[in-house]
Amino acid sequence: MDNSFRAWSECAADLVAVAAGRRPADLVILGGQLANVHTREILRWDVAIAAGRFAYVGPDASHCIGPKTEVLRWSGYVIPGLCDGHMHVESGMLTPAEFARAVIPHGTTTMFTDPHEIANVMGLPGVKLMHDEGLMQPVNIFTQMPSCAPSALGLETTGYEISAEDVAEAMQWPGIIGLGEMMNFPGVVNGDAQMLAEMAATARAGKTIGGHYASPDLGPAFHAYAAGGPADDHEGTCEADAVMRVRQGMRSMMRLGSAWYDVETQITAITEKGLDPRNFILCTDDCHSGTLVQDGHMNRVVRHAIACGCDPLVALQMATINTATHFGLERELGSIAPGRRADVIFTSDLRELPIERVIARGKTVALAGRITTECPHIAWPAAARNTVHMGAEKSAAEFTIPAPDDGAEVAKVRVIGVVENQAPTQALEAELPVRGGRICGQGDICQIALVERHRALGSVTNGFVSGFGYQGEMAIASTVAHDSHHMIVVGTCAEHMALAANRLAEVGGGVSVWKDGRELALIELPIAGLMSDAPAEEVAAKAAAMVQAMADCGCHLNNAYMQHSLLALVVIPDLRISDLGLVDVRKFELVPVVQEGGQEDADA
């Protein structure tokens, strides 16, 4: 935790003196309608704050006011600062400092972050950089040590590999709250020694093990996964998923990110089935900068849960006290109660949740949607800014898929099928035309390639994808390619795919969209090829231009870039691409692109 912020035990004498009226408070809030998330009721109570913590929370705080006490009178609602129970800072394309600056005006005062994106690129040193910058912020950023880099051993290669020894070392860092999502669920189910060792190191440290069970199978495999130790899971997509997780003593994390809309389909476990809501948590998982700047962060998730039929106070619990309790921090944050960190939001409407004022650790950090505090940056080293190593310049020939040598005019191939607003894909099949010795995309089916960018091996893996709706000659390339973070290139034209890939090598990473021989949009992400340390508004503007460019290329999916960036995530079914080939995640094995008598490795 931030060493500059005094622990409750260190300032208890001050808090007692303020609550008793022997010493004036630093800040008093009068007249508000306080949301008590412990009892799920609204109380017309006052609040007194000292040393950045709540000292008195009760009917009348007038005895806590002295000559130098700041007094805020507010007749609206006073609610706890919002907590994001599972998220990746890198998905915002921002550093921790800029991410904090973007979300603070939306009322987020606590984040539980898993920096496994940078772990795949830079290993433990990258995680340490994220951890250190997080601790510098005026809000609470707790880091989960990434568990799976690579996410599935043998199915992809990464820039660095995380070991059980790395996990054990990180558990001693001051801001580490637990183990990041245990993505290698087949490894856990099959008793993989490293996965079990990582979870054991976390358990010995008394910290929380994050879960990631991305399979619809709720039989013995799921029960075996739960027995391994993961305490939560955010990969559920339906009511049955949510129900089974909480029945196993896990917390069901329901996410609303830029592209993942899994709250509505699971919250019925509470609103209709009537399960105890204290075992459910709201989170975002992945939000890009455009969503953060334009739509909000956890306030957006809470509003959405309410719109889905959830009682406002229950929704608030799932974004505050439930999250704090899950991570063993109920006595530290997540509610407006004595001793807790003084993280408070003023809002005039519990359903629409406008954020009028944000207080973090007793200080106003945002007012009327504008940040009023500084978010310090670390000095990102050169090693973090020079991470795109894809070898020689790419040519169009490297983005072609040879046809089987059988003289046929069509070839039967496997196709990754994108599903709007969901992380899982479909494993599709199609018959595509053969022209000039190569297999060509047709209709909605275009090409996808993964360009190796960590060790300059020069390899390019090719396949097919559908669902984006791209038309004409175009390509989009991104060095954000969960989780191995090589470079994903999707396009209808091999020449354009080469142009986009070479452009990202030139600028050191990011996203580039090309159409008809020219670049329509570029987002530079110089830090690990994942993030920019530019202000969130600037990155969001470039992200908006990227979204428009994708639409100009024919794509009208909601937040299609998030779908694009996850097409290499080889632990979410059904079909993915990696630097080693096409991956059938249902079987956790590599499969050829071409089927039925075609060459066995057409995607190499």
Side-chain angles (χ1 to χ4, degrees):
M1 298 179 190
D2 187 345
N3 292 327
S4 66
F5 186 71
R6 294 167 64 197
W8 186 348
S9 58
E10 295 172 352
C11 56
D14 294 334
L15 301 179
V16 170
V18 170
R22 296 192 299 270
R23 182 177 299 178
D26 299 327
L27 170 67
V28 168
I29 303 168
L30 298 176
Q33 301 175 66
L34 186 146
N36 190 314
V37 292
H38 292 284
T39 58
R40 205 186 305 158
E41 58 182 337
I42 300 295
L43 303 168
R44 185 68 78 169
W45 274 9
D46 296 342
V47 177
I49 296 168
R53 294 180 180 273
F54 298 116
Y56 172 87
V57 181
D60 183 2
S62 59
H63 65 291
C64 304
I65 299 174
K68 296 183 179 180
T69 301
E70 180 183 3
V71 178
L72 297 177
R73 299 181 185 276
W74 175 253
S75 60
Y77 295 97
V78 178
I79 67 175
L82 302 178
C83 308
D84 192 340
H86 173 74
M87 55 163 285
H88 307 284
V89 165
E90 302 99 318
S91 292
M93 301 180 178
L94 305 168
T95 59
E98 286 303 317
F99 197 102
R101 200 168 71 86
V103 302
I104 286 171
H106 297 304
T108 300
T109 57
T110 300
M111 293 174 268
F112 296 90
T113 71
D114 180 354
H116 70 211
E117 320 306 348
I118 202 169
N120 278 268
V121 180
M122 296 183 64
L124 201 59
V127 176
K128 188 67 163 58
L129 290 168
M130 299 288 283
H131 165 273
D132 290 352
E133 186 164 287
L135 286 186
M136 296 166 62
Q137 303 315 309
V139 291
N140 315 306
I141 299 183
F142 298 96
T143 302
Q144 294 176 289
M145 174 60 198
S147 61
C148 300
S151 61
L153 196 64
L155 296 180
E156 64 178 355
T157 54
T158 56
Y160 285 81
E161 294 187 6
I162 294 295
S163 67
E165 291 73 23
D166 290 334
V167 171
E169 176 185 334
M171 288 301 142
Q172 308 308 311
W173 298 351
I176 293 290
I177 196 67
L179 187 67
E181 54 184 309
M182 179 49 67
M183 306 179 71
N184 189 356
F185 59 90
V188 176
V189 173
N190 294 321
D192 179 270
Q194 179 180 333
M195 300 300 101
L196 295 178
E198 290 183 7
M199 292 190 291
T202 307
R204 283 193 296 270
K207 299 180 186 293
T208 305
I209 300 169
H212 170 116
Y213 184 80
S215 170
D217 179 5
L218 297 177
F222 173 72
H223 291 261
Y225 182 76
D232 57 61
D233 194 272
H234 59 275
E235 290 295 334
T237 59
C238 64
E239 182 186 278
D241 290 336
V243 170
M244 185 58 78
R245 282 152 175 77
V246 297
R247 283 178 175 169
Q248 291 293 301
M250 302 170 75
R251 259 65 179 224
S252 174
M253 289 187 170
M254 301 180 293
R255 63 185 171 186
L256 177 72
S258 291
W260 323 135
Y261 282 58
D262 298 320
V263 173
E264 185 173 6
T265 56
Q266 296 183 89
I267 204 167
T268 52
I270 298 168
T271 59
E272 297 178 14
K273 203 171 184 66
L275 297 190
D276 187 344
R278 288 300 302 273
N279 294 311
F280 293 82
I281 291 171
L282 295 175
C283 68
T284 63
D285 199 358
D286 299 296
C287 277
H288 68 63
S289 56
T291 300
L292 300 177
V293 171
Q294 297 162 18
D295 302 325
H297 190 231
M298 283 305 298
N299 58 330
R300 169 177 175 258
V301 187
V302 174
R303 284 197 306 264
H304 177 68
I306 294 169
C308 291
C310 187
D311 178 274
L313 287 177
V314 171
L316 194 57
Q317 284 181 315
M318 293 192 290
T320 56
I321 190 62
N322 293 10
T323 313
T325 300
H326 175 59
F327 287 101
L329 295 171
E330 184 177 353
R331 297 280 290 170
E332 186 67 20
L333 50 86
S335 67
I336 302 174
R340 278 69 169 181
R341 299 187 182 197
D343 301 333
V344 183
I345 296 169
F346 288 9
T347 182
S348 56
D349 189 329
L350 269 191
R351 287 187 172 274
E352 294 302 320
L353 217 62
I355 309 297
E356 272 99 352
R357 181 189 291 266
V358 182
I359 296 170
R361 303 176 189 174
K363 297 180 180 179
T364 295
V365 291
L367 196 59
R370 300 188 67 85
I371 194 162
T372 59
T373 188
E374 294 297 319
C375 294
H377 289 245
I378 61 169
W380 289 87
R385 297 178 179 271
N386 182 29
T387 64
V388 179
H389 310 290
M390 71 176 195
E393 186 173 281
K394 302 307 174 193
S395 67
E398 294 172 271
F399 296 96
T400 60
I401 300 178
D405 189 18
D406 57 9
E409 295 183 354
V410 297
K412 188 174 182 180
V413 300
R414 291 180 171 87
V415 179
I416 301 171
V418 170
V419 181
E420 186 171 21
N421 289 333
Q422 286 194 2
T425 63
Q426 295 176 319
L428 305 177
E429 297 177 353
E431 290 189 347
L432 296 179
V434 172
R435 301 189 189 98
R438 59 184 287 261
I439 306 173
C440 301
Q442 180 176 258
D444 187 43
I445 300 174
C446 58
Q447 233 177 288
I448 182 172
L450 201 76
V451 179
E452 195 279 333
R453 66 110 165 169
H454 295 311
R455 297 180 173 87
L457 300 178
S459 63
V460 179
T461 303
N462 287 293
F464 292 101
V465 65
S466 72
F468 286 113
Y470 293 131
Q471 300 173 3
E473 294 189 344
M474 59 72 60
I476 172 174
S478 170
T479 51
V480 178
H482 303 268
D483 270 335
S484 57
H485 295 292
H486 290 289
M487 183 190 300
I488 293 179
V489 189
V490 172
T492 60
C493 168
E495 288 77 11
H496 282 67
M497 293 174 77
L499 286 169
N502 292 330
R503 177 62 162 154
L504 293 189
E506 174 189 344
V507 301
V511 188
S512 180
V513 185
W514 290 71
K515 180 177 173 60
D516 297 333
R518 67 185 184 92
E519 187 177 53
L520 299 187
L522 173 68
I523 308 175
E524 300 95 334
L525 301 175
I527 298 176
L530 303 172
M531 297 174 289
S532 169
D533 51 0
E537 295 82 2
E538 293 181 17
V539 180
K542 291 185 177 182
M546 174 197 69
V547 171
Q548 182 58 54
M550 293 174 74
D552 292 343
C553 292
C555 179
H556 297 287
L557 295 180
N558 176 55
N559 279 303
Y561 173 71
M562 299 299 292
Q563 311 282 14
H564 175 105
S565 67
L566 255 69
L567 291 174
L569 187 46
V570 298
V571 290
I572 296 184
D574 286 345
L575 198 60
R576 303 280 161 170
I577 193 170
S578 86
D579 60 305
L580 301 181
L582 205 60
V583 180
D584 187 332
V585 186
R586 299 165 300 182
K587 301 176 182 178
F588 271 80
E589 62 183 34
L590 296 167
V591 295
V593 173
V594 180
Q595 295 182 290
E596 291 186 356
Q599 60 198 57
E600 286 302 306
D601 197 13
D603 57 332

